[in-house]
Amino acid sequence: MADNSSPDSRDEKIRDEKTTARSQPEMADPTGRRQSVALNIVENPLRRFSPEKTAADARIFAETHDMAEHADLFARAALVAREPNQFDGMTELDDGERAALAYERDHKWHGSKMLWYSIGLCAIGAATQGWDQTGSNGANLSFPSEFGLADAEGVVNPGRDEWIVGVINAIIFLTAGLIGAFIVDPLNHYFGRRGEIFITACILTATPIGSGFAQSWQGLFAARFIMGIGIGAKNATVPIYSAEMAPARIRGALVMFWQLWVVAGIFLGFCANVIVKDTGDISWRLQLGSAFIPSFVLGVGIFFCPESPRWLMKHGKYAKGFRSMVRLRDHPIIAARDFYYSYVIYVEELNLARGAGYFARLWDCFAVPRIRRANYGASTVMIAQQMFVYLFTMAYSLGEGPVAFQYSAEVFPTIQREQGMAWAVCINNTFAGILSLTFPRMQSVMTPTGAFGFYAGLNLIAWFMIFCFVRETKQLTLEELDQVFSVPTSKFIGHELKVWLPYFIKRHILRKRIAKPPQIIEKDDKVKELVDE
């Protein structure tokens, strides 16, 4: 649904300051067709000032935040951040700095070893979810008989026992969405991203072992109840941590490791199920308990990772934040550029923030137009992920599987990132729990055809929601996304319906060779390149 006019009108002044909305002239295309540039420009705020003032402000920033020894470095980095594609002609840079920037530009996948290590370790955090899920799948074949919930052949008794088994399976998703997701903010506030991940890794190491030692279905339920809290808190923080560390040019691809390792966890969980399936009455205990392995690796490995530079900045630890950024980038000039640009946008976010407390910032996710639009997109991809059942094997791992968590982790501003991600994870896991709880019963009442048909219909609704609310974030910094979501929802939907949908139909269905319409959002440096051509 579109935003109401009142909050959007309040946001209009902010949008006008941060997003330059104007019609652009068409330009010639080498093929002879006409090409247009974006209707709304993502502005680099450093270009509001002269190069001299930009460099002077960066020096002041370094000197006032215990980084005086890096004042000149930040001055040069600010100039690079102001004109990221013009560093070749900057006389202020030395040859080593220009070479490092050129190598970064020409080698998209180049990054420091610590960056790759940290992203890879976070991907292992995703494997814990897949392993937990498949462990319970294998255990479902035998634990009901152990606790008197099934007959001698392993068929679950209809009625009450059927619901008990469903609740045991679904509880990890329900507590993940309704409890775990909403303790993310205090855990992150007091312990940081690394500390929160370590705590949840400890929970996810202990609870699978506890599940394996359960002596009643109530004990198994309790262990999985706590496990779900750990899963929810982990699921909300690990994607944020990954997104805050990764460079904009490869952030999406790196954070996509989440889905890759969820699938890897599912595979390894099934392998563990097969390995222990013939161990007799304890097979289900070993299947549930084996899920501690990836979380143990995560808990140990996180100690060697740097803290998120943006988290440290948010908590006033600028010098530590810069040192962390240096470990995650291949050259100090690149680290200083990324850190200072993040700081500039973060200051603007602080000026616009409405609340400081937890619930005030959570309410901002629904009340502030820019954040509400991000919430629309994040909520849409999260709920749509739970609708992909019927076409799972063909489409899930290509689209909704990897996109949902990565997209949700990056679209919220720094100040509301924990609250926004908490809400997104709440939606995702709550609906996953509802699906796990109700699907067996739906199959009985509606038949498998009816149950899968129901979710096929939900996929159509998901497609419409994605079309209306999910905005492109490709190769934009986390800070520049603030301007992407400053475009009102009504204007965005209008552009999708009146411009891009007709173009898609004519170009890709009717196969007409027509000019590509202008994007609704584009970075100003790319627009400058197009105009110069």
Side-chain angles (χ1 to χ4, degrees):
M1 61 184 160
D3 293 337
N4 57 50
S5 59
S6 179
D8 271 349
S9 62
R10 290 196 302 267
D11 194 51
E12 192 73 23
K13 291 183 179 179
I14 298 172
R15 180 172 60 84
D16 287 344
E17 291 177 358
K18 301 178 69 176
T19 304
T20 304
R22 60 182 184 270
S23 299
Q24 298 292 337
E26 293 183 330
M27 295 165 291
D29 186 276
T31 64
R33 291 177 290 176
R34 304 289 289 175
Q35 181 181 2
S36 298
V37 297
L39 300 177
N40 299 275
I41 312 304
V42 176
E43 179 193 10
N44 183 336
L46 292 175
R47 291 180 181 165
R48 301 172 189 168
F49 309 105
S50 66
E52 294 76 16
K53 179 170 174 52
T54 298
D57 289 344
R59 286 194 182 90
I60 294 173
F61 163 75
E63 292 168 354
T64 56
H65 292 97
D66 300 323
M67 296 182 289
E69 69 276 17
H70 301 301
D72 291 339
L73 172 64
F74 272 99
R76 298 192 300 274
L79 295 176
V80 176
R82 184 178 182 275
E83 295 289 348
N85 297 322
Q86 306 298 323
F87 59 85
D88 284 330
M90 293 182 182
T91 58
E92 296 86 355
L93 302 177
D94 60 39
D95 292 340
E97 291 171 338
R98 272 191 292 271
L101 291 166
Y103 195 85
E104 178 199 40
R105 177 195 61 199
D106 299 334
H107 298 79
K108 177 180 179 181
W109 294 101
H110 182 67
S112 70
K113 293 180 180 178
M114 182 53 68
L115 173 65
W116 287 106
Y117 170 80
S118 301
I119 296 294
L121 187 68
C122 290
I124 293 177
T128 63
Q129 180 174 339
W131 202 318
D132 287 333
Q133 292 173 357
T134 51
S136 62
N137 290 343
N140 277 336
L141 299 176
S142 51
F143 89 79
S145 299
E146 176 80 11
F147 298 139
L149 303 174
D151 58 26
E153 297 180 355
V155 178
V156 178
N157 303 322
R160 174 180 176 273
D161 292 346
E162 190 176 46
W163 283 106
I164 289 175
V165 173
V167 168
I168 290 174
N169 285 321
I171 193 60
I172 62 170
F173 300 110
L174 296 175
T175 54
L178 299 176
I179 301 176
F182 290 103
I183 64 172
V184 167
D185 185 71
L187 287 177
N188 275 270
H189 178 78
Y190 291 108
F191 301 104
R193 306 276 192 252
R194 293 171 64 246
E196 196 270 1
I197 292 173
F198 174 75
I199 291 171
T200 56
C202 290
I203 294 174
L204 296 176
T205 299
T207 50
I209 297 174
S211 299
F213 283 98
Q215 300 300 309
S216 65
W217 72 261
Q218 292 90 342
L220 179 59
F221 174 86
R224 290 177 64 78
F225 185 100
I226 299 173
M227 180 190 297
I229 296 175
I231 288 176
K234 172 188 67 67
N235 286 358
T237 299
V238 171
I240 292 176
Y241 183 57
S242 299
E244 290 181 340
M245 290 189 298
R249 69 186 187 281
I250 55 174
R251 185 183 64 245
L254 288 181
V255 183
M256 288 300 183
F257 280 170
W258 175 271
Q259 180 62 21
L260 173 65
W261 279 86
V262 167
V263 174
I266 291 173
F267 171 75
L268 294 173
F270 276 126
C271 290
N273 289 348
V274 173
I275 291 171
V276 304
K277 70 180 180 65
D278 296 324
T279 56
D281 293 339
I282 66 169
S283 62
W284 69 270
R285 298 183 183 276
L286 297 176
Q287 289 166 342
L288 290 177
S290 65
F292 87 92
I293 296 173
S295 56
F296 177 78
V297 174
L298 176 65
V300 173
I302 196 65
F303 273 101
F304 301 99
C305 293
E307 182 55 89
S308 163
R310 288 178 173 86
W311 184 89
L312 291 167
M313 179 188 299
K314 182 178 177 180
H315 288 77
K317 302 176 181 180
Y318 294 94
K320 289 184 178 179
F322 177 61
R323 289 196 295 270
S324 179
M325 185 68 84
V326 168
R327 296 180 66 190
L328 294 168
R329 299 294 185 265
D330 248 4
H331 195 280
I333 191 66
I334 299 174
R337 177 201 63 190
D338 292 353
F339 191 74
Y340 184 67
Y341 189 71
S342 297
Y343 166 76
V344 169
I345 305 297
Y346 178 61
V347 169
E348 294 196 359
E349 289 181 5
L350 286 176
N351 294 333
L352 301 177
R354 295 188 177 185
Y358 176 86
F359 292 105
R361 282 179 285 135
L362 180 60
W363 178 246
D364 284 349
C365 294
F366 304 92
V368 178
R370 174 261 180 266
I371 309 173
R372 184 171 64 245
R373 297 178 195 119
N375 201 359
Y376 286 163
S379 299
T380 294
V381 293
M382 284 296 201
I383 193 173
Q385 189 188 69
Q386 299 311 316
M387 296 178 183
F388 271 73
V389 176
Y390 191 71
L391 301 177
F392 180 87
T393 56
M394 291 185 291
Y396 181 82
S397 292
L398 294 175
E400 266 299 328
V403 167
F405 281 89
Q406 185 264 332
Y407 186 89
S408 302
E410 66 186 16
V411 295
F412 293 100
T414 301
I415 298 173
Q416 279 86 13
R417 190 160 291 148
E418 292 91 346
Q419 288 75 22
M421 190 62 180
W423 176 253
V425 170
C426 171
I427 290 178
N428 182 272
N429 283 278
T430 300
F431 277 91
I434 293 172
L435 189 154
S436 300
L437 181 64
T438 60
F439 195 74
R441 188 62 178 168
M442 289 175 64
Q443 283 186 292
S444 299
V445 176
M446 302 171 62
T447 73
T449 301
F452 282 110
F454 173 80
Y455 279 97
L458 291 184
N459 283 330
L460 296 177
I461 298 175
W463 181 90
F464 177 77
M465 295 170 64
I466 291 170
F467 180 83
C468 292
F469 301 128
V470 177
R471 308 186 183 198
E472 184 57 70
T473 63
K474 181 181 179 181
Q475 294 186 347
L476 294 172
T477 69
L478 297 182
E479 292 72 31
E480 288 169 340
L481 293 179
D482 186 58
Q483 300 179 51
V484 171
F485 290 97
S486 293
V487 177
T489 302
S490 57
K491 184 176 180 180
F492 176 77
I493 295 177
H495 184 268
E496 294 288 280
L497 290 173
K498 299 176 182 178
V499 179
W500 273 100
L501 183 58
Y503 166 76
F504 180 86
I505 293 174
K506 293 176 182 178
R507 179 68 182 86
H508 298 288
I509 297 179
L510 301 180
R511 309 301 297 175
K512 294 183 178 180
R513 295 182 62 82
I514 60 175
K516 190 175 183 179
Q519 299 278 352
I520 194 170
I521 288 289
E522 187 59 88
K523 296 180 69 171
D524 59 350
D525 57 347
K526 185 172 182 180
V527 170
K528 183 179 179 181
E529 292 176 4
L530 291 172
V531 172
D532 290 342
E533 292 176 359

